[in-house]
């Protein structure tokens, strides 16, 4: 298959690669064979799908999102992290013991990912096995890629919102499907006993599963971790101690207050930071020093963190990434250069995509995860292509996305019922 | 005329007033006679327009927006204020010497205000008299309310982007129309000679015109003001000295770094702060301590500041108002309670509306400036009315607005040509 459009991606973060009226050749397995400004003679007899003046960009990857908090999106953002969890989040997650409720909300959640052009995501479910398995099934049916975690929690949680070590094994022994797979998911250190952390680390090793959790989001949370684990030097050491830190590919969300030793541990064990700036603004958590992370060679990806994040759009996350990077300069004593637009785009596409394999860039051998964007309304005044992608990031939205591809296949709108 | 819907407004900032399936009675002059949970017997024979399950809310007021920067919206946000002005903004504003260009952009700008539900605005034009008069004409034809300023600037500006004292008088002697009026608009102190500031202060008095300008947006800007006017104790004193500070109703945009004496001057002269948090994030200007302003009794309104602000939606400004208020708590040593959702809504409606008369609330004697919002998609999961308005602010957008009223009249979509 050959698609023609204005191709825009970021093979490297420092600038956009833009091929006006370019061609992209995708093979029958959904793998990119090449991109071309002029079609090679060997391909001229192939059928071409011409998207005209539209933009063809890599799909987005949301590396931190809580599916069961979907109903709370845009609500209840008046508290900082710990009381917010107890007041709003845990009561909502408790409802997912009801599989009918779970199906209704998870269908909407899957639809929202599709709508926003998020073709793959790393997702927190709840403690409930049937609901979390159902979520995996709905994602797979929609053709989306995902890692999905049964949330491990057994300490300081409401009744009914805990699980056992046996629950964890039962869930994690299932391998998932080709593109929807399980991921070890301790909620965060304050929600797990040492026994649970230990078991989760063992399961990660036994089944060779990646890990996701939260790290150094909020100052009071960090104080609580130090109280619960007085022996550790940093919050990150608490995961490291139990095999949940780089033993397998590991995502740590937020990292607003990671400094010193914790940064060295992130780098040493190649743990991936998931920056969630919308959520960090909504809950007043702080602003992570992303430029510093990148300079140190720490891998950074982006997440919406719905419903701490009020919005499931990765466009908005890119925008907040750029803004909080600039605000950080104003408030911090360390003057670090703010991120560029191409860097935010790289984090949301190629960097995020790397967690799922070769995804998020239009390079040979990459899976064809892509969006066709019709920005005609935004482009009424005839902008250059670099300006068009910048405006799309800042003021475009889901209504501009006309086609969505995951692993080479165009995805139809998922059913809400 | 009687309208029926779920009525939501903020007569006081501390909470929403919500009248489910309520009635609002608007007289032939577009003035609100009353709101009712149950229609009084005297009105039962009047015709009723029933908006069903939709929300009826006050319209939005944008107290700081640059119409000629509309084409740059969502672009060129990689520099702080002073180089941003020289690199991106002044070159774009220079184009408005061409009245054809001005008409094309200003029609889009007027359409955007309408689309976003901003029924009245206080607007910066350019130095060009014909273009600025055209902008006023287009706003008036669209039925929107506005104050529009011919921007006064004659120092440290590109050639062709200056005006003379005579230009100012020529523009400001025209009274405007019933709802579209002129406002004295020194760009900011660094762009105006003392003679120009003096003359603008005299014109404000002579024609009894309100004043708008920028104040203490960015640290380097403040340093520049002190260098140019070494005799003043604060940036605000620079305006005060020339009759541009509370002699007539006065708007000062940004005030990120206003402290101490400048706050006392804002309060003493009843100068109105226009908080522009999107812009302050985009340009890394800082975060204004809005809670402190409110505690001191300083009037605060909201502005998009397009194109320092990347978005013309007052919903997004409310959202950033709430977020930056929370971030301020994290970064500042002074712990002030973050703003509540109802407070942000009050700032965008009743507080902003007060600059235009009795506007922005559904109280007796107020002009009927209102929006009918169909949030059916956002309400698929059946939320309470307080949740619906909160979700609309955080994740709603222009496509949800179904009817727009200004001064009692429903406004049709303005023509783009």
């Amino acid at each position: 298959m050959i698609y023609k459009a204005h191709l825009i991606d970021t093979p490297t973060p420092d600038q956009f690669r833009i091929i006006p009226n370019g061609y992209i050749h995708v093979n029958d397995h959904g793998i990119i064979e090449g991109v071309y400004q002029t079609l090679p003679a060997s391909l001229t007899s192939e059928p071409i799908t011409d998207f005209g003046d539209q933009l063809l960009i890599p799909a987005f990857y949301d590396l931190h999102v809580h599916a069961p908090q979907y109903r709370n999106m845009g609500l209840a953002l008046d508290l900082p992290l710990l009381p917010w969890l107890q007041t709003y989040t845990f009561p909502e997650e408790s409802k997912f013991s009801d599989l009918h409720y779970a199906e209704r909300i998870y269908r909407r959640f899957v639809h929202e990912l599709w709508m926003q052009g998020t073709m793959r995501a790393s997702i927190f479910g709840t403690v409930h096995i049937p609901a979390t398995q159902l979520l995996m099934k709905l994602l797979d049916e929609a053709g989306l890629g995902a890692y999905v975690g049964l949330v491990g929690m057994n300490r300081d949680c409401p009744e009914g919102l805990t699980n056992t070590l046996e629950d964890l094994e039962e869930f994690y022994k299932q391998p998932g499907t080709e593109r929807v797979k399980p991921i070890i998911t301790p909620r965060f250190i304050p929600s797990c006993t040492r026994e649970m952390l230990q078991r989760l680390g063992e399961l990660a090793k036994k089944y060779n599963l990646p890990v996701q959790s939260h790290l150094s989001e909020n100052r009071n949370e960090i104080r609580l971790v130090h109280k619960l684990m007085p022996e550790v030097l940093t919050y990150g050491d608490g995961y490291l101690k139990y095999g949940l830190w780089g033993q397998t590919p590991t995502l740590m969300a937020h990292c607003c207050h990671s400094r010193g030793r914790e940064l060295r541990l992130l780098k040493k064990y190649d743990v991936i930071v998931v920056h969630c700036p919308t959520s960090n603004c909504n809950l007043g958590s702080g602003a992570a020093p992303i430029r510093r992370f990148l300079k140190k060679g720490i891998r950074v990806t982006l997440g919406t963190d719905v419903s701490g994040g009020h919005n499931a759009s990765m466009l908005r996350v890119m925008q907040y990434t750029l803004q909080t990077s600039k605000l950080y300069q104003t408030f911090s004593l360390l003057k670090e250069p703010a991120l560029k637009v191409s860097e935010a785009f790289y984090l949301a596409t190629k960097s995020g995509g790397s967690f799922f394999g070769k995804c998020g860039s239009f390079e040979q051998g990459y899976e064809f995860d892509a969006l066709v964007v019709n920005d005609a309304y935004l482009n009424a005044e005839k902008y250059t292509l670099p300006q068009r992608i910048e405006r799309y990031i800042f003021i475009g939205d889901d209504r501009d996305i006309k086609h969505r591809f995951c692993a080479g296949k165009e995805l139809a709108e998922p059913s809400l019922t």
Side-chain angles (χ1 to χ4, degrees), chain A residues 28 57 79 106 172 267 308 327 415:
Chain A
D28 294 343
I57 62 175
L79 292 174
Y106 282 159
Y172 284 110
K267 168 69 181 153
L327 274 187
S415 166

Side-chain angles (χ1 to χ4, degrees), chain A residues 149 183 229 251 256 310 339:
Chain A
I183 181 168
M229 281 196 183
L251 298 172
C256 298
H310 63 279
L339 296 183

